[in-house]
Structures are given as structure tokens and as C-alpha cells.
Amino acid sequence: MDATLLANVTRVCPFLARTPVSSLRALGVSVSSQSSSFSTNCEKPTFVSKSATTALFSAAQRCPIMKTAIAVQAIRRISNSPAFRQAVLRENESRNTSVPFPFGKPIPEKSSSKPVNVENILGKIYPAENCPVSSKSDLDTESAGRSSTFDYEQFYAEELDKKHRDRSYRYFNNINRLAQAFPTAHTGTGEHVTVWCANDYLGMSKHPLVVNAMKETLDKYGAGAGGTRNIAGNAQLHLSLEHELADLHKKPAALVFSSCFVANDATLSTLASKLPNCIIFSDASNHASMIQGIRHSRAEKMVFRHNDLEHLEQLLKSVDINRPKIIAFESVYSMCGSIGPIKEIAKLARKYNAITFLDEVHAVGMYGNSGAGVAEHIDGMDEIDIITGTLGKAYGVVGGYIAGSAGLVDLIRSYAPGFIFTTSLPPPIISGALTSIRYLKKSQTERFGQQSNTVKLKSVLDSMGIPVVPNPSHIVPVLIGDAETAKSVSDELLHKYKIYVQSINYPTVAKGEERLRITPTPGHNEELMGKLVDSLSTIWKERGLKYVSDWEREGGRANVGVGKKVKQLVDLKKFGPEVAMTA
């Protein structure tokens, strides 16, 4: 069904107005895929819709109002096409008779000396007063206009239809996390659900120290920054935060951005475009922000297989050692949970005269004695040239940053449009982030609680044979292997069991590796974990979803079913009994 038509009638159709969105989604699932064509090889010419058949389309055809509207739209599309007119004329010449219209009743025969009259065809099926095309001249005028102008709305609809057909269209659930009932949220209908997939890994967004600091700053400095960093938006709070971040990563300087997507994009695009004849070596699983920055730099790039040191070295060997090089990679890859070989990549960088760009977005606050990330945990921060991180995940607020040498940071500050030409973060946000960083530099309680719950959940799911993608980090990816099924399981968890776990589909993960991404927090107690495990167990049995043994028989997928065992990066024993007791 035409997407624009559907959007318009939703506002006036009683059925669409009262039917829940979840039901409409279910009805809108394609049951067969067809292509657009106009055929005259049968008694009655037929038109096959561009869109796949859906239950929603079938329901619309039974509606007396929508049935007519659909037919009118179809007639207008067909009648305006040269293919339709040529087909009618050919049929007329071959049979010496008029042609029955595709959607209507037979038209009385006409003299073979007269050509087929499209206006008469339309008029016999729909009275003139009801027909959107009142005359052949109108039809020709509209057709000529369409052929010479670009139809923007049709383009939007067709692009979105591609997303629906390949099952990559994104649905955003209405989830409102409750600070005083973490990790509970309410949906758009007011129902309470437990959130199991947020990136607020440590629950710092609701921590009293963070919230109170933001309230006090709001009262003192107001809601907004007032401008860019260059124009009225450069406060002492911003400078203090950058000093704190530089100290966190043991670097001479740091720079704060509106998000880490912007930080990665701006830094890579600016640096690689400034370095003469620069080439970037990028891990195949790098985040979209890094890919975007590389693309915007217009520098040459080489992509090495995920965490494959041998492949990376082969590529580095192929380039002149004196040519400027950047190796861009991550510490924790958020969709599979794997961890980059930081020290080994740094060693290759030194060997082949490259600099390193490490994204610690999913690691800052989570790993290391002071929460500086995996590089701190393995004692490798001094081996990395540029570290990027976020204030919006473990730190619970919003924003991004880079840390590196004073010269590097000043270069980005002076040249990066993504930093220069955007309003700086509001004072309350900066204050909350500053408070969160300082707190997590000292407190181990939240990190222990999160890691402990991760270990428990992975262990229980593993004992049940539910396929968790093996990894050493805090991410718990549960493999499903099909986009439609992953979305359906996510919906069932939300609506039936009041558990929110987002499904992850292409292009975020490869096709056939669709999954649920679960992220335990310190707030997910044994009762909540029991409900999640029981729900997943029931769904796997009722739906006949694949267990680890099933993937093993198929040769494995996404490292599931290949006998791979991975040890957690964090050893809980190293936290000590005092931390364990307070967690």
C-alpha cells in the first residue's frame, strides 16, 4: 500500500485511529514479495503492486472507503504511464476492440477506426464527479508535469519501503526511565517495564550526587550555555571538565564535544584531512561515527578484519613507512562485546610509524581503577595517542570528548567545524558529568555490581543453552539470527513480560547475526534477573528458537556453536571483599 496514502488516511480512518501501533506493525508485515508490472497477456490486464502484500492492505481492500481510494490511486499511477497507453493501443490494434480496464468491468466494443479513449474508460468506471482526474487534458497535463518534476514524497516513500522490505526499518519504543525506580521505566501507555538494554551501565543518571549537582548548577547558571565555545559558551565548568578528563586518561589535554559521535567524526575528518597524504587503517567493526569521520576526511583507508593483527600488519607493510598513518579501533565493541588488542595494535603503530586512535566509549567509567577504560585496566594508556570517550553511557549524562597531546587537541579545537560551530554543552550537563567522573574515579562499588551481574547472567544463560555471543566484556548479546524474529521476540518481551530488550538488526550487525543486546546494571537484582531468564526460556521453547547445540550443528555463527570459551576481562576477586559487601 502507498506509504503516503496510508499516512494521510490514518488521521481520518476509525480503524487506524483505534488500532494499537503494535497491531498495525504486525498487520503490516509482508506475506509475499511482488514486483511492479502491467500485463496484457490475459483476458483482463492486471497491475501488481510495488509493495508486498500485507494483512493491513487486505483489510483496507475490504473497507468501502479505502477500497475506492486504493483503486483511484492505482488508476492514476497506471494511466499516467506510457506503458499503459502503449499496451491499450497495441491490444486495440490486434483485436479490433477496446480493452477491459485493469480494475473495472468490460468496456463495450468500439469501432476499430477509433482509438481507445482513456477518458471514457475512466468515466465508465468512476463517475466524473467522483474521479480525481476530470478530463483527458487534466490527465495529460498532470502526466507531463510529473515527467518533468521530481516527486520528493514518492522518493521518501520508496526509500523507506526499502528499509521495510529488508527488515532494517527502525521502530522506536516509547520508554521513560524512572529515576527513583531504576531500572524501571513506563511506556507511552503508562505500563511499567524493566529496562535491560540501556547504556546507562552504572545507573549514574539517577545518582543523588549527579542529580543534585545539576539542580544547583541549573539554579545558578541557567539552562543553556549561551553560545559556542568561541562566543559566550566557554565557562569555567567546561575548562574544569576538560582538565578532569585529561587527568583521567593521563594526557596533557582534552576537548569536550556535544557527543562522541561528533568527537569521532570531527577529529578523524579534521586530522586525516590535515595530515599530508594520510591513510587510515580501520577495524572492520568500527562504529558508524568513526566510519563517518573517515569518509568525511576523504583520506585513503584500508579496512582490516576485526581484531586481526596479522591482517593489519600486512596492510601496514604495504604502505611507505614515512607516509602519515592513523590506526582507528575500539576497546569494547558494543554489539558483540569483543575487546580490541590495544597493546598489540600500539606496538604495530610504533613499528610502522603510525598514530593510534582508540574509541573507549563503552569502556570509560566501566574499566580500570579510576574508570578510564580498558587501556587503563591493562596499563596501556601511555601507548595510545588519541583516546575518545563519552559522557552519555557509564557517566550517565551526555557529551563526548577526546584526550591527547596538547598540540593535537589545539589543532582539533582550531580547525574542526564540529567543535567550532556548535553551541557548547549546557552548564548543568557539564556539572553532572564532572561530578560523575570524580565520583567514579574513587568508587568501585558500581563497577563491581555491574560486572558481577554480567557474570551471573552469562552463566545462567550458558547453562540453559541459550546462545550468548562469547565475549570478555559487560555486554550480553543473545543470538537469534533473523531480523523479523528478533524484532518479534523483543516485542513479546515488552508487551507480554514487561521487559524491554532492544533487538539489533542490520546494518548495526551483519545479516543473519541479528540479536538481543542485554546490558545488566548494578540495579538488576536476583528477582529481576530471574524474570528475564524465565521469560527467555519460555520464548525459546514456545518458538522453537535455536540453542547453542543447534548453531553448532549448522557450523556456528557469530562465534556461537564453535566451542569458543572466553574469560571475562575483569576478575571479580580483585575488587576485594569490602567492595563486594557494599555492592
Side-chain angles (χ1 to χ4, degrees):
M1 182 176 180
D2 186 271
T4 306
L5 177 61
L6 178 59
N8 290 336
V9 299
T10 300
R11 294 192 290 269
V12 296
C13 174
F15 167 75
L16 294 178
R18 69 171 181 263
T19 305
V21 173
S22 58
S23 299
L24 289 175
R25 287 177 184 166
L27 289 170
V29 174
S30 302
V31 296
S32 66
S33 182
Q34 299 173 327
S35 59
S36 176
S37 65
F38 175 74
S39 171
T40 58
N41 294 327
C42 55
E43 183 62 22
K44 289 188 178 183
T46 57
F47 176 82
V48 182
S49 172
K50 289 181 182 178
S51 304
T53 303
T54 67
L56 187 61
F57 182 80
S58 299
Q61 288 182 311
R62 294 194 296 271
C63 169
I65 303 299
M66 284 300 300
K67 181 178 181 180
T68 302
I70 293 169
V72 169
Q73 292 294 324
I75 290 168
R76 293 180 69 183
R77 286 197 299 270
I78 299 172
S79 300
N80 289 338
S81 70
F84 167 80
R85 298 187 179 189
Q86 291 172 8
V88 171
L89 292 173
R90 284 198 303 270
E91 190 72 5
N92 179 64
E93 291 172 358
S94 65
R95 296 171 56 183
N96 284 327
T97 183
S98 56
V99 180
F101 198 75
F103 296 100
K105 44 199 173 183
I107 306 300
E109 291 188 2
K110 296 181 180 291
S111 166
S112 60
S113 61
K114 295 181 180 180
V116 173
N117 190 315
V118 175
E119 179 185 0
N120 288 346
I121 294 176
L122 292 172
K124 289 180 180 295
I125 300 172
Y126 294 98
E129 62 270 22
N130 295 332
C131 183
V133 185
S134 59
S135 68
K136 186 174 183 296
S137 61
D138 288 342
L139 180 71
D140 292 337
T141 300
E142 186 174 348
S143 176
R146 287 187 179 183
S147 64
S148 61
T149 59
F150 186 81
D151 190 334
Y152 292 94
E153 291 299 326
Q154 181 64 26
F155 172 79
Y156 307 150
E158 289 173 355
E159 289 300 301
L160 289 171
D161 187 53
K162 292 177 185 177
K163 303 290 285 183
H164 283 290
R165 283 189 276 111
D166 70 8
R167 299 292 188 269
S168 66
Y169 184 81
R170 296 175 187 266
Y171 295 97
F172 297 159
N173 288 305
N174 187 338
I175 301 295
N176 308 272
R177 299 188 309 125
L178 297 166
Q180 302 305 317
F182 182 88
T184 301
H186 70 76
T187 66
T189 62
E191 286 186 305
H192 281 204
V193 299
T194 303
V195 179
W196 273 94
C197 58
N199 288 334
D200 185 9
Y201 296 131
L202 303 179
M204 291 302 294
S205 68
K206 54 82 180 174
H207 196 285
L209 290 177
V210 174
V211 173
N212 289 335
M214 295 179 73
K215 286 179 179 178
E216 291 172 5
T217 306
L218 179 64
D219 288 338
K220 185 173 183 178
Y221 294 113
T228 65
R229 290 289 293 273
N230 187 51
I231 305 174
N234 187 52
Q236 181 59 46
L237 280 169
H238 296 80
L239 301 176
S240 297
L241 176 58
E242 288 170 346
H243 176 79
E244 197 72 39
L245 290 166
D247 178 71
L248 176 70
H249 293 289
K250 307 302 181 218
K251 299 296 181 186
L255 194 65
V256 172
F257 292 79
S258 55
S259 74
C260 199
F261 190 105
V262 175
N264 284 349
D265 182 6
T267 302
L268 282 170
S269 61
T270 301
L271 182 60
S273 64
K274 286 293 179 184
L275 290 171
N277 196 27
C278 178
I279 181 169
I280 301 175
F281 298 84
S282 177
D283 188 286
S285 293
N286 274 344
H287 188 263
S289 58
M290 300 167 76
I291 296 171
Q292 190 84 330
I294 294 168
R295 182 180 296 121
H296 286 164
S297 75
R298 298 185 179 180
E300 184 183 349
K301 70 173 180 181
M302 289 187 175
V303 178
F304 60 94
R305 290 186 293 270
H306 178 52
N307 282 351
D308 191 329
L309 294 169
E310 185 178 346
H311 187 213
L312 172 59
E313 184 164 18
Q314 287 175 358
L315 296 177
L316 287 166
K317 280 181 179 178
S318 69
V319 178
D320 185 343
I321 195 167
N322 292 314
R323 184 177 178 183
K325 310 172 195 67
I326 301 172
I327 304 175
F329 64 110
E330 300 181 38
S331 58
V332 177
Y333 291 84
S334 65
M335 293 302 147
C336 62
S338 62
I339 292 179
I342 296 173
K343 284 193 170 185
E344 292 81 357
I345 288 179
K347 184 177 180 180
L348 287 176
R350 291 192 298 272
K351 182 178 179 180
Y352 293 97
N353 190 31
I355 60 173
T356 47
F357 180 102
L358 175 63
D359 179 313
E360 289 257 36
V361 162
H362 291 273
V364 290
M366 301 289 291
Y367 299 88
N369 227 27
S370 60
V374 175
E376 182 190 29
H377 181 84
I378 63 172
D379 193 27
M381 282 197 298
D382 61 339
E383 300 180 44
I384 299 299
D385 298 290
I386 307 167
I387 294 175
T388 73
T390 184
L391 308 172
K393 292 179 172 57
Y395 290 126
V397 197
V398 69
Y401 64 88
I402 64 169
S405 71
L408 175 279
V409 169
D410 201 17
L411 177 77
I412 302 304
R413 185 190 71 86
S414 301
Y415 283 97
F419 173 80
I420 298 169
F421 300 107
T422 189
T423 300
S424 59
L425 287 172
I429 296 296
I430 297 292
S431 179
L434 195 53
T435 303
S436 185
I437 292 167
R438 287 171 174 168
Y439 174 82
L440 288 174
K441 273 187 173 181
K442 300 176 181 178
S443 176
Q444 305 295 328
T445 303
E446 290 76 15
R447 283 190 279 276
F448 176 84
Q450 197 286 324
Q451 292 287 345
S452 177
N453 284 342
T454 297
V455 170
K456 289 176 186 176
L457 182 58
K458 285 184 176 180
S459 177
V460 173
L461 294 179
D462 183 62
S463 68
M464 297 165 58
I466 289 180
V468 174
V469 177
N471 70 81
S473 73
H474 60 282
I475 310 295
V476 186
V478 178
L479 180 65
I480 291 180
D482 175 77
E484 191 170 353
T485 304
K487 176 67 175 64
S488 178
V489 170
S490 175
D491 287 343
E492 183 176 354
L493 282 168
L494 182 63
H495 298 297
K496 185 175 180 180
Y497 297 100
K498 312 308 175 191
I499 292 171
Y500 174 45
V501 181
Q502 184 62 41
S503 61
I504 308 297
N505 297 335
Y506 177 84
T508 307
V509 296
K511 290 181 180 179
E513 296 186 7
E514 294 82 2
R515 63 198 63 181
L516 301 177
R517 179 181 181 271
I518 301 173
T519 53
T521 73
H524 288 99
N525 56 35
E526 289 187 12
E527 180 184 356
L528 295 177
M529 193 176 296
K531 289 180 179 178
L532 172 67
V533 170
D534 289 344
S535 301
L536 291 174
S537 177
T538 300
I539 290 173
W540 246 252
K541 290 176 182 176
E542 291 181 348
R543 290 172 170 257
L545 299 180
K546 293 177 183 177
Y547 291 87
V548 173
S549 56
D550 297 311
W551 288 113
E552 187 175 356
R553 281 191 291 272
E554 294 184 11
R557 187 175 301 177
N559 286 327
V560 171
V562 295
K564 186 175 183 179
K565 297 294 181 182
V566 179
K567 182 182 178 181
Q568 289 296 114
L569 178 67
V570 175
D571 184 355
L572 295 176
K573 294 178 182 178
K574 292 186 177 181
F575 282 100
E578 300 85 5
V579 175
M581 289 181 66
T582 60

